[in-house]
């Protein structure tokens, strides 16, 4: 299955009042890694949305294992775990590169919908995308 990663250095704006990464930022980083994965698979989100193809999130889970602080270098990886009919499931890991620890894990599910929010079977309409995601 396809995977892609982004690198992120924790900035001051990523922190909460306790000087640790504010927890919703991990979800934002998942989105950035997911966008990179789709781009590498040939799915340029803005182009597809113009064509009426939407991928709304229906599940988003995040498990925080360790914290991150200002200046930490992070590798955020998105990995396709399943493409099943109308649903794309991705798993995520955030790794602190200084010690190799996985500090956060997550999962999202997206449903393939048209501009009228009607779901469709991805493989029937876009078999090349399914192939690119599952290679």
């Amino acid at each position: 299955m396809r995977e892609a990663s982004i690198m992120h250095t924790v900035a001051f704006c990523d922190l909460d009042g306790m000087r640790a990464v504010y927890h919703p930022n991990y979800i934002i980083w998942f989105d950035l890694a997911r966008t990179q994965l789709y781009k590498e698979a040939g799915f340029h989100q803005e182009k597809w949305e113009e064509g009426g193809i939407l991928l709304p999130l229906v599940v988003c889970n995040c498990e925080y294992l360790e914290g991150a602080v200002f200046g930490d270098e992070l590798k955020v990886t998105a990995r396709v775990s399943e493409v099943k009919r109308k649903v794309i499931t991705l798993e995520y890991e955030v790794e602190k590169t200084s010690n190799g620890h996985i500090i956060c894990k997550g999962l999202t599910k997206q449903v393939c919908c048209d501009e009228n929010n009607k779901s469709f079977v991805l493989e029937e309409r876009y078999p090349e995308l399914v192939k690119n995601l599952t290679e």
Side-chain angles (χ1 to χ4, degrees), residues 34 38 55-61 81-82 84 86-92 106-112:
R34 179 176 61 244
Y38 284 152
L55 291 173
L57 282 179
V58 294
V59 173
C60 183
N61 294 326
S81 65
E82 184 176 55
K84 187 174 181 181
K86 302 175 181 183
V87 178
I88 301 171
T89 304
L90 281 81
E91 295 176 352
Y92 305 86
L107 176 136
T108 59
K109 291 181 183 256
Q110 294 176 278
V111 175
C112 304

Side-chain angles (χ1 to χ4, degrees), residues 94-113:
V94 180
E95 175 187 343
K96 191 181 297 186
T97 60
S98 64
N99 60 15
H101 289 185
I102 302 302
I103 64 169
C104 183
K105 292 182 179 184
L107 176 136
T108 59
K109 291 181 183 256
Q110 294 176 278
V111 175
C112 304
C113 293

